[in-house]
């Protein structure tokens, strides 16, 4: 009853403060399970933190970070007072959620993590649906890529939280996220806890009883979801962006929305501050209940904040909606960090994104990018197969509307027909005015390793970093800049997934309370995060044989120790 009352009070406000709303009830329920907090000794300066928190803000492009940085006053402002790499790169071409998350705590590119896309095709899979979801185990009977058993089985390399347990078995590895694939790719194999929002509640793939925190937060979230979310009242910085834009196709209007939601609308629950607040509330409650950061064995908590991605997809990145979302995220993160301070935790934070994002082409054109357009429907994979005279012989994942990334040739074809089809398909793609490049499997298999920093990579370099011969297609297709692969705009206005800087460039931030502010301009990669954090945790062996390198010159992190 008290929680419901709190909900109504909060909804009367113009700002959502979910952490403040949910956390007290969760903590009260979890109190009996929580270990007593021992008094902490003040940490030795720059000794490994007792709790390492790694946050991924889904679709938080470096462009958005740069644009809104002056507006942040809460958690994002605090983190930006650490060491900020403005030019981080998810260096691969297929800039989707699953590949992006797979790089952050492994130090490996998708060519090594095996996570080549959110979806891929396995024509030898022992089930009728040959599309494989990155975070599923398709061997589970009765499953499909849409109705799957969550699993880390496709992640081929260990995460930092896993590696930490080798020298430090008492260390805990916990993942909480708004998406299962985020929690799976950052937590890796056999985490101590893994919780992800399944559309209605937090769920897990682990065979463990739910901590009291999860039960309490799920109950509070159900209460929240059942009542409508009124529109947020935009501050002037957001109101200035409230220009209605009509989308091609559906005629839907975006740009001036205020993230309101009808009672019970679970889809729009995800696309707004409620979702991130709920993930942060559960993260905080689990820290308390499980006792993360309470002993000298450092723990890793990875947090996936997904609402920014859904807001970008539903409304694009350039309107009032994204402004409201990012300012709310800043507030929620501020509340979260303030709570950790109250608990006297010794913690460090790293923050990045799984990929960036592009705005809707209709708004980009209004802002002077004349080439921005929606993709030609003739580039849809099955249409291409028909056009070149091989109907049904090309297969492609559906995650970005079946227009970009991996295209597979029917494995049942004879080798000479297969060769003819491949040549015709490559020729078709390469002649199309919206296609930037199309590479064959043979070309990518033989491509040399890049020799430059990620900002100067060729399209071939990027596609090669997304190529795993065990899972990738026979052709890899990339569209020209600002050619948007969303055709049906009735739900999604825009997306990501391209090799262009708006999708590849993300912020990478390291923060500890003792650090001085530093903004670094040199290009780095998200695969550099893991070895840098391994140095922070004094785990040098964890960083051997990986793609990333420890980032030198960050205060308090000694790459050579
Ligand atoms: Zn994503």
């Amino acid at each position: 009853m008290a929680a419901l009352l709190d909900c109504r009070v909060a909804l009367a406000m113009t700002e959502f403060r979910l952490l403040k709303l949910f956390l007290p009830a969760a903590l009260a329920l979890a109190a009996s399970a929580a270990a007593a907090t021992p008094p902490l000794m003040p940490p030795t300066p720059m000794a490994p933190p007792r709790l390492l928190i790694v946050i991924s803000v889904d679709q938080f492009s470096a462009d958005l970070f740069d644009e809104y940085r002056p507006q942040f006053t809460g958690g994002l402002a605090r983190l930006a007072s650490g060491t900020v790499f403005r030019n981080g790169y998810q260096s691969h071409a297929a800039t989707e959620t699953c590949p992006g998350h797979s790089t952050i705590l492994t130090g490996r590119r998708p060519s090594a993590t095996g996570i080549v896309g959110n979806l891929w095709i396995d024509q030898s899979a022992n089930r009728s649906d040959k599309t494989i979801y990155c975070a599923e185990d398709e061997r589970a009977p009765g499953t499909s890529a849409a109705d799957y058993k969550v699993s880390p089985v496709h992640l081929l390399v260990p995460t930092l939280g896993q590696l930490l347990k080798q020298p430090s078995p008492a260390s805990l590895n916990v993942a909480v996220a708004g998406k299962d694939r985020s929690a799976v790719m950052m937590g890796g194999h056999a985490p101590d806890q893994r919780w992800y929002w399944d559309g209605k509640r937090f769920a897990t793939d682990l065979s463990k009883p739910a901590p009291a925190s999860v039960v309490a937060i799920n109950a509070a979230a159900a209460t929240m979801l059942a009542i409508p979310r009124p529109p947020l009242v935009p501050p002037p910085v957001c109101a200035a962006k409230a220009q209605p834009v009509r989308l091609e196709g559906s005629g839907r209007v975006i740009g001036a929305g205020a993230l309101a939601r009808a009672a019970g609308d679970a889809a729009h629950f995800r696309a707004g501050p409620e979702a991130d607040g709920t993930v942060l509330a559960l993260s905080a409650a689990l820290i308390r209940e499980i006792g993360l950061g309470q002993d000298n064995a450092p723990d890793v908590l990875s947090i996936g904040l997904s609402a920014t991605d859904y807001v970008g997809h539903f409304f694009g990145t350039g309107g009032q909606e994204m402004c409201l979302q990012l300012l709310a995220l800043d507030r929620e993160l501020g509340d979260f960090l303030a709570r950790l301070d109250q608990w006297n935790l010794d913690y460090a934070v790293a923050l990045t994104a799984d990929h960036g994002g592009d705005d809707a082409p209709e708004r980009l054109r209004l802002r002077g990018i004349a080439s921005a357009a929606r993709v030609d429907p003739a580039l849809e994979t099955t249409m291409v197969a028909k056009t070149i005279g091989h109907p049904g012989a090309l297969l492609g994942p559906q995650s970005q509307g079946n227009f970009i990334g991996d295209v597979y040739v029917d494995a049942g074809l004879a080798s000479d027909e297969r060769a003819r089809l491949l040549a015709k398909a490559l020729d078709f793609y390469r002649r199309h005015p919206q296609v930037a490049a199309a590479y064959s499997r043979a070309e990518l298999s033989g491509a040399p390793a890049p020799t430059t920093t990620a900002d100067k990579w060729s399209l071939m370099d990027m596609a090669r970093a997304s190529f795993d011969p065990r899972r990738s297609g026979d052709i890899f297709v990339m569209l020209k800049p600002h050619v948007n692969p969303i055709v049906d705009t009735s739900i999604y206005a825009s997306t990501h997934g391209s090799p262009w800087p708006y999708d590849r460039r993300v912020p990478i931030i390291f923060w500890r309370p003792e650090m001085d502010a530093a903004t670094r301009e040199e290009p780095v990669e998200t695969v550099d995060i893991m070895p840098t954090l391994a140095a922070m945790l004094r785990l040098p062996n964890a960083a051997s044989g990986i793609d990333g390198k420890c980032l030198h010159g960050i205060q308090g992190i000694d790459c050579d120790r």
Side-chain angles (χ1 to χ4, degrees):
M1 190 61 205
L4 184 61
L5 196 65
D6 283 349
C7 287
R8 287 179 179 155
V9 169
L11 285 169
M13 304 188 310
T14 56
E15 295 180 359
F16 291 97
R17 307 303 283 260
L18 273 292
L19 193 78
K20 287 181 175 171
L21 189 63
F22 285 171
L23 199 53
L27 291 177
L29 265 178
S32 59
T37 307
L40 288 180
M41 300 299 289
T44 313
M46 302 302 185
R50 292 187 171 95
L51 175 59
L52 171 60
I53 299 172
V54 182
I55 300 172
S56 168
V57 177
D58 203 311
Q59 204 185 133
F60 192 26
S61 65
D63 293 334
L64 283 177
F65 176 75
D66 288 345
E67 178 183 356
Y68 284 96
R69 187 173 182 179
Q71 310 302 333
F72 295 140
T73 58
L76 287 167
R78 163 126 55 126
L79 297 180
S81 72
T83 297
V84 175
F85 290 87
R86 286 184 56 242
N87 297 299
Y89 284 85
Q90 290 280 5
S91 51
H92 51 277
T95 49
E96 294 189 310
T97 296
C98 219
H101 279 101
S102 82
T103 70
I104 296 170
L105 284 175
T106 64
R108 304 305 309 266
R109 301 185 185 121
S111 51
T113 66
I115 307 301
V116 296
N118 283 352
L119 302 168
W120 58 84
I121 303 279
D122 179 357
Q123 298 184 64
S124 68
N126 187 24
R127 70 176 183 191
S128 58
D129 184 4
K130 305 300 183 188
T131 300
I132 308 296
Y133 174 58
C134 59
E136 73 161 324
D137 185 348
E138 69 276 15
R139 296 167 301 184
T143 59
S144 70
D147 181 15
Y148 52 82
K149 178 187 190 302
V150 173
S151 165
V153 69
H154 293 303
L155 179 63
L156 303 178
V157 294
T159 62
L160 183 65
Q162 278 176 261
L163 293 168
L164 178 59
K165 285 176 174 287
Q166 291 170 5
S168 177
S171 288
L172 297 174
N173 176 25
V174 172
V176 182
K179 293 182 183 176
D180 53 24
R181 52 190 176 275
S182 163
V184 166
M185 295 303 148
M186 292 208 288
H189 296 262
D192 294 281
Q193 294 284 336
R194 171 156 48 222
W195 294 95
Y196 42 81
W197 187 255
D198 74 356
K200 290 274 172 82
R201 62 190 68 78
F202 286 102
T204 187
D205 60 309
L206 306 175
S207 303
K208 293 185 174 189
S213 303
V214 176
V215 176
I217 299 276
N218 274 344
T223 303
M224 175 70 76
L225 181 55
I227 52 180
R229 181 172 72 204
L232 292 170
V233 177
V237 61
C238 295
K241 294 176 181 292
Q243 177 188 20
V245 175
R246 187 172 296 277
L247 301 177
E248 289 170 23
S250 66
R252 187 163 66 90
V253 174
I254 60 165
L259 304 179
R261 170 183 61 73
D265 182 347
H268 284 86
F269 183 89
R270 283 186 143 171
E274 297 167 301
D276 288 342
T278 308
V279 168
L280 288 169
L282 179 56
S283 301
L286 284 174
I287 287 172
R288 202 64 171 163
E289 181 174 356
I290 301 170
L292 296 180
Q294 292 299 328
D295 58 26
N296 287 325
D299 301 319
V300 176
L301 169 64
S302 53
I303 300 176
L305 298 174
S306 311
T308 304
D309 182 63
Y310 290 110
V311 170
H313 282 305
F314 284 13
F315 308 110
T317 56
Q320 176 172 276
E321 300 94 341
M322 183 58 82
C323 182
L324 288 168
Q325 161 60 22
L326 290 178
L327 297 191
L329 171 65
D330 179 44
R331 290 192 297 272
E332 295 290 348
L333 271 172
D335 288 351
F336 173 71
L337 298 176
R339 186 65 66 148
L340 307 194
D341 296 339
Q342 278 177 11
W343 295 337
N344 196 27
L345 282 172
D346 169 26
Y347 66 100
V349 181
L351 182 142
T352 189
D354 55 340
H355 51 77
D358 197 16
D359 202 2
E362 294 83 359
R363 186 161 43 215
L364 288 174
R365 286 198 298 272
L366 291 176
R367 294 181 179 173
I369 301 179
S371 63
R374 296 207 176 267
V375 70
D376 177 0
L379 281 169
E380 195 273 333
T381 310
T382 56
M383 291 293 295
V384 174
K386 250 187 232 169
T387 305
I388 63 174
H390 296 265
L394 290 179
L395 315 165
Q398 284 74 45
S399 59
Q400 302 291 337
N402 224 11
F403 290 100
I404 59 175
D406 287 299
V407 178
Y408 299 77
V409 176
D410 182 347
L413 297 182
S415 65
D416 55 338
E417 188 183 356
R418 188 184 173 79
R420 276 198 306 277
L421 168 55
L422 259 178
K424 279 200 270 186
L426 278 168
D427 184 60
F428 175 88
Y429 281 120
R430 287 169 179 166
R431 285 171 186 272
H432 195 286
Q434 286 187 330
V435 172
Y439 298 120
S440 69
R441 159 178 287 268
E443 287 170 313
L444 292 174
S445 299
T451 55
T452 63
T453 49
D455 56 320
K456 296 190 176 65
W457 280 16
S458 66
L459 290 177
M460 176 75 91
D461 292 335
M462 302 178 206
R464 181 186 182 278
S466 278
F467 179 75
D468 180 335
R470 295 160 288 192
R471 295 175 185 165
S472 292
D474 298 295
I475 300 173
F476 191 83
V477 179
M478 290 175 276
L479 301 178
K480 288 186 177 169
H482 302 299
V483 176
N484 198 300
I486 301 294
V487 174
D488 177 1
T489 58
S490 59
I491 298 173
Y492 276 12
S494 193
T495 191
H496 46 83
S498 86
W500 304 111
Y502 49 80
D503 280 345
R504 272 179 98 222
R505 196 172 72 93
V506 295
I508 298 178
I509 300 173
F510 300 91
W511 179 89
R512 289 190 75 172
E514 306 90 343
M515 285 170 71
D516 298 325
T519 295
R520 304 263 296 260
E521 301 292 331
E522 71 266 40
V524 298
E525 292 184 57
T526 54
V527 292
D528 300 330
I529 295 171
M530 188 279 241
T532 305
L533 295 177
M536 179 191 275
L537 296 175
R538 308 214 175 135
L539 281 177
N541 293 336
S544 62
I546 63 170
D547 296 313
K549 58 188 186 316
C550 180
L551 295 171
H552 285 264
I554 301 175
Q555 193 182 3
I557 298 179
D558 184 353
C559 291
D560 303 315
R561 187 184 164 106

